[in-house]
């Protein structure tokens, strides 16, 4: 498939099957913070790890940092670059609190 230079190129045009895994922004933030706390614990004794510093300051300061990263980086990327691909996906899996798939949407193609 060739696309003229002046037309938009969408990566999904080159993929046979795409799967989008969806969850609410609140759940995604919760999972991010849970993973962050886990990484603090795992790396508290590893001074060569990025999380070492954050594991050795007050937890509320570390969590505030993680929330800022969520708001200014991850949430921006989610809204600007990931969510717009959802409606082009062939399959959408909806996840809930326990990471269980609660429903599946299959787009006819």
């Amino acid at each position: 498939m060739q696309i003229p230079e002046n037309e938009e190129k969408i990566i999904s045009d080159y993929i046979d099957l795409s799967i989008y895994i969806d969850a609410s922004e609140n759940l995604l933030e919760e999972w991010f913070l849970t993973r962050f706390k886990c990484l603090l614990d795992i790396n508290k004794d590893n001074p060569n790890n990025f999380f070492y510093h954050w594991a050795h300051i007050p937890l509320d300061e570390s969590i505030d940092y993680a929330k800022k990263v969520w708001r200014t980086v991850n949430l921006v990327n989610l809204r600007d670059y990931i969510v717009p691909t959802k409606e082009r996906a062939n399959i959408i899996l909806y996840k809930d609190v326990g990471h269980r798939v609660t429903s599946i949407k299959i787009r006819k193609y």
Side-chain angles (χ1 to χ4, degrees):
M1 166 197 241
Q2 290 186 337
I3 299 175
E5 285 186 32
N6 59 347
E7 289 188 26
E8 183 178 14
K9 294 173 181 76
I10 300 173
I11 192 69
S12 61
D13 292 339
Y14 301 97
I15 299 173
D16 292 331
L17 179 73
S18 61
I19 300 172
Y20 185 96
I21 301 174
D22 195 18
S24 74
E25 288 181 2
N26 290 339
L27 281 177
L28 294 171
E29 180 181 13
E30 180 183 322
W31 296 337
F32 175 79
L33 294 173
T34 299
R35 186 170 51 252
F36 182 86
K37 290 179 213 171
C38 181
L39 289 167
L40 294 179
D41 187 52
I42 290 170
N43 293 290
K44 67 181 181 268
D45 297 323
N46 183 358
N48 296 321
N49 188 278
F50 171 83
F51 292 94
Y52 180 81
H53 164 75
W54 301 104
H56 291 276
I57 64 173
L59 183 59
D60 60 334
E61 288 181 39
S62 295
I63 297 304
D64 286 346
Y65 168 78
K67 287 179 179 180
K68 181 179 178 184
V69 169
W70 171 258
R71 283 189 318 275
T72 62
V73 179
N74 295 29
L75 187 58
V76 172
N77 285 333
L78 175 69
R79 289 177 176 169
D80 290 352
Y81 301 106
I82 298 170
V83 171
T85 69
K86 179 179 175 178
E87 293 309 315
R88 292 193 305 268
N90 302 108
I91 299 171
I92 302 172
L93 305 177
Y94 297 91
K95 293 180 80 176
D96 72 1
V97 175
H99 291 276
R100 290 178 303 266
V101 174
T102 58
S103 62
I104 300 172
K105 177 183 175 183
I106 300 175
R107 186 178 68 151
K108 185 177 178 180
Y109 62 101

